[in-house]
Amino acid sequence: MALKLYNDLTRKLQLFKPLNSPHVTIYVCGPTIYDYAHLGHGRSLVAFDLLHRYLQYKSFQVNYVFNYTDIEDKMINRANKEHITVKQLADRFTQIYHEDYQKLNYLPPTHNPKATGHIPEMINLIKTLEKKGFTYLIENDGLYFNVKKFKKYGQLSQQDLHELKAGARVDIKDKHSPNDFVLWKLEKPNEPSWQSPWGQGRPGWHIECSAMSMKYLGKTIDIHGGGQDLIFPHHEDEIAQSEAANGKLFAKYWLHNGFVTINGEKMSKSLNNFYTLRDIFKEYDPLAVRYLFLSTHYRMPINFTLNSLQSAAKSLDKIQNAYFSILNQKSSVKFGKKTLPLKRYYKQLEKALDDDLNISSALAVVFGLINQYYKYQSKLSPESVLQLEKFFQDTDKIFGILKHSREIIPIEIVQLAEVRLESRKNKQWSESDQLRDKIKSLGYEIADTKEGYELKKL
Ligand SMILES: [Zn+2]
Ligand SMILES: [Zn+2]
């Protein structure tokens, strides 16, 4: 089956055809690591982690680059405020981001490069742009990219230069046009700087992603991703400088994830509704947070509320409990002959995800299967139980939401539960209650489901 992705460059749902299948190259713009990761960072991470995992599931060999921006105005301001170096600040937050992202159970990217490790690559790229006549120097300020020289400027954000001009902020008065952007900033006091042909200084923000994308993935890549807030100007500028330098398409497919709002409002420090991942992880299971991010289509906005988080936790519990129930059932003593058409469920799941990662349809397939499982639970054949276990494990390679190890419930408890199930079917309520108490006294809780039971350690 073939994957289709919505391409923001063409504004169309397109068949995904990698340049060099089965290899796939992806570059996703990561965070500027000057402060703790917030919900928006987590959302973007999970959105592209789903893509990464699904491509692997489909047997593509994925080279996935996710960068950290470690030199930028915000980095410098924060470091100066704390009287530490930018490098010290970056080291501290690299660790923090890594920890938080791990809690969200992401598949590590192939490369996780930082801007400051790629200054020579950026300088070389800027030199090429200079040679080809795309740049000009503003004295005592920096080297700029001249967007008028790049005819296709505005193609991603679908604006023409005239419109852009009206909306753009005129920050530097000597710029030839408002959308021109800095490639190399000349040194200012209290800022880290590097040697370059234009003088001591540091790179502008956009150039790092073009340079690192080319270094790790080549001049043309399959997918470039990031948050919707990056479409303009960051991604527009990445396209301009990359294609101006190489004379080649920069990225075939452009994917952007939607925003996170809090109770319907934009998340911001000034509105006092700003949540870091750490704040949330203190009170909620990071996997429930992952589930919340995952269960909304990547292009759609997520409205983060306490209710939405609680209902995400509930749904996740439902999947987790079904999985543990299946694991426990493997050691059951009683089986039937019923089988479930697992192949059909795999097909439906892939059909859903092939449609631009339609996650709600994909999860609906899983919940449909869970209902069928409980309906036939004790009547299932041993092979069918094993196939169910495999289904949950296979699909968790895509979702990444299950805890796989839990203390397996001892066989005596499972047997008591099965005797109790039998007594309930025969409406022997007092016996059933006694068995429940017995199971409880042995440290387990039994909950009744439509056609079976669920066991949990107390
Ligand atoms: Zn970037
Ligand atoms: Zn980017």
Side-chain angles (χ1 to χ4, degrees):
M1 274 177 286
L3 173 63
K4 284 184 184 152
L5 293 172
Y6 187 87
N7 188 352
D8 280 320
L9 189 62
T10 57
R11 310 253 151 151
K12 276 188 194 118
L13 187 68
Q14 287 181 308
L15 198 63
F16 178 60
K17 281 193 230 154
L19 292 156
N20 185 24
S21 191
H23 300 275
V24 172
T25 47
I26 308 180
Y27 188 100
V28 172
C29 284
T32 302
I33 48 172
Y34 72 103
D35 205 345
Y36 289 92
H38 57 64
L39 292 175
H41 294 126
R43 200 269 158 107
S44 187
L45 183 92
V46 172
F48 289 101
D49 184 54
L50 173 65
L51 176 67
H52 185 193
R53 284 167 173 270
Y54 189 52
L55 288 167
Q56 287 208 349
Y57 175 88
K58 287 180 83 73
S59 305
F60 287 111
Q61 286 173 35
V62 187
N63 190 345
Y64 177 31
V65 177
F66 180 74
N67 75 302
Y68 284 163
T69 296
D70 63 345
I71 180 78
E72 213 244 321
D73 292 350
K74 290 182 189 122
M75 293 290 298
I76 295 165
N77 295 341
R78 174 87 184 237
N80 287 344
K81 221 164 100 187
E82 295 196 13
H83 306 289
I84 55 174
T85 64
V86 169
K87 168 112 182 28
Q88 283 168 328
L89 181 73
D91 287 346
R92 186 169 111 213
F93 278 110
T94 302
Q95 186 58 31
I96 286 168
Y97 270 80
H98 192 62
E99 282 169 21
D100 290 352
Y101 284 172
Q102 267 181 330
K103 287 195 180 136
L104 286 173
N105 195 27
Y106 79 135
L107 218 57
T110 323
H111 301 282
N112 200 180
K114 284 186 201 160
T116 56
H118 300 80
I119 304 287
E121 287 87 345
M122 290 187 240
I123 290 176
N124 279 334
L125 181 56
I126 300 170
K127 275 197 209 152
T128 305
L129 290 170
E130 187 179 38
K131 233 180 279 163
K132 294 194 171 181
F134 286 99
T135 66
Y136 61 90
L137 191 71
I138 299 179
E139 249 181 87
N140 299 319
D141 185 82
L143 190 77
Y144 280 78
F145 185 94
N146 187 345
V147 299
K148 284 216 176 100
K149 293 262 168 112
F150 183 71
K151 294 285 170 282
K152 291 196 292 183
Y153 193 81
Q155 58 182 328
L156 179 69
S157 48
Q158 305 225 330
Q159 318 173 65
D160 63 35
L161 279 176
H162 185 72
E163 285 176 62
L164 287 176
K165 204 169 182 171
R169 196 164 54 103
V170 183
D171 43 359
I172 305 292
K173 70 173 179 11
D174 290 327
K175 285 205 303 195
H176 295 183
S177 107
N179 294 299
D180 291 351
F181 56 91
V182 71
L183 296 164
W184 190 262
K185 289 187 178 188
L186 294 174
E187 188 180 23
K188 285 186 197 142
N190 296 319
E191 289 191 2
S193 66
W194 290 263
Q195 267 296 355
S196 86
W198 313 281
Q200 197 74 19
R202 64 178 167 102
W205 170 33
H206 312 301
I207 196 74
E208 70 179 80
C209 292
S210 294
M212 293 192 286
S213 183
M214 284 171 210
K215 174 171 178 174
Y216 294 100
L217 304 173
K219 287 179 177 166
T220 304
I221 69 167
D222 293 310
I223 300 170
H224 192 109
Q228 278 165 359
D229 53 326
L230 296 182
I231 294 175
F232 186 81
H234 187 51
H235 283 169
E236 203 66 75
D237 293 350
E238 278 186 52
I239 293 177
Q241 65 202 3
S242 306
E243 299 190 359
N246 297 328
K248 277 186 177 163
L249 183 75
F250 179 46
K252 271 184 93 171
Y253 304 88
W254 287 80
L255 271 60
H256 296 95
N257 65 271
F259 294 117
V260 177
T261 56
I262 311 286
N263 295 313
E265 280 184 312
K266 195 172 181 262
M267 184 169 73
S268 82
K269 282 182 178 157
S270 57
L271 287 173
N272 216 7
N273 65 356
F274 188 88
Y275 292 103
T276 67
L277 292 174
R278 294 217 156 183
D279 296 335
I280 301 291
F281 292 168
K282 268 181 217 152
E283 288 182 55
Y284 296 93
D285 177 4
L287 286 179
V289 180
R290 178 181 172 89
Y291 186 91
L292 174 60
F293 291 149
L294 188 80
S295 56
T296 302
H297 188 262
Y298 74 92
R299 291 168 51 80
M300 295 292 131
I302 291 182
N303 188 23
F304 193 94
T305 63
L306 221 54
N307 276 341
S308 65
L309 186 53
Q310 279 159 355
S311 84
K314 248 191 188 160
S315 303
L316 176 59
D317 258 7
K318 212 171 158 189
I319 301 177
Q320 184 74 69
N321 288 339
Y323 177 59
F324 282 145
S325 176
I326 291 161
L327 289 183
N328 286 324
Q329 212 179 323
K330 283 200 310 179
S331 49
S332 171
V333 282
K334 267 180 60 194
F335 289 100
K337 287 195 172 133
K338 175 78 186 164
T339 58
L340 292 174
L342 267 300
K343 267 200 186 124
R344 201 163 70 205
Y345 285 93
Y346 277 102
K347 262 198 187 146
Q348 285 173 352
L349 186 106
E350 283 166 38
K351 192 177 162 211
L353 291 171
D354 277 343
D355 179 21
D356 196 31
L357 305 175
N358 186 336
I359 191 72
S360 359
S361 300
L363 289 171
V365 173
V366 174
F367 285 112
L369 181 60
I370 289 173
N371 287 339
Q372 289 297 298
Y373 164 66
Y374 284 127
K375 186 168 174 195
Y376 296 111
Q377 193 171 17
S378 56
K379 300 188 187 93
L380 291 173
S381 73
E383 301 76 47
S384 208
V385 173
L386 288 178
Q387 283 167 0
L388 272 164
E389 180 193 11
K390 189 167 183 310
F391 179 89
F392 276 79
Q393 290 171 350
D394 286 344
T395 55
D396 198 52
K397 286 180 189 145
I398 305 170
F399 301 133
I401 47 177
L402 291 179
K403 296 180 183 114
H404 286 275
S405 58
R406 183 172 77 167
E407 200 186 344
I408 294 296
I409 293 171
I411 183 80
E412 308 87 71
I413 307 289
V414 177
Q415 281 169 356
L416 285 172
E418 282 180 7
V419 175
R420 182 171 169 278
L421 184 65
E422 213 45 47
S423 65
R424 284 186 69 229
K425 278 182 187 159
N426 300 330
K427 301 189 173 15
Q428 298 163 314
W429 305 118
S430 70
E431 196 188 335
S432 154
D433 286 347
Q434 280 167 21
L435 282 161
R436 177 201 292 275
D437 294 343
K438 175 130 200 230
I439 289 167
K440 203 170 180 183
S441 73
L442 293 168
Y444 291 84
E445 186 182 59
I446 186 160
D448 298 320
T449 61
K450 236 186 199 164
E451 295 275 334
Y453 57 85
E454 273 172 22
L455 284 167
K456 257 190 205 168
K457 198 169 175 22
L458 283 168

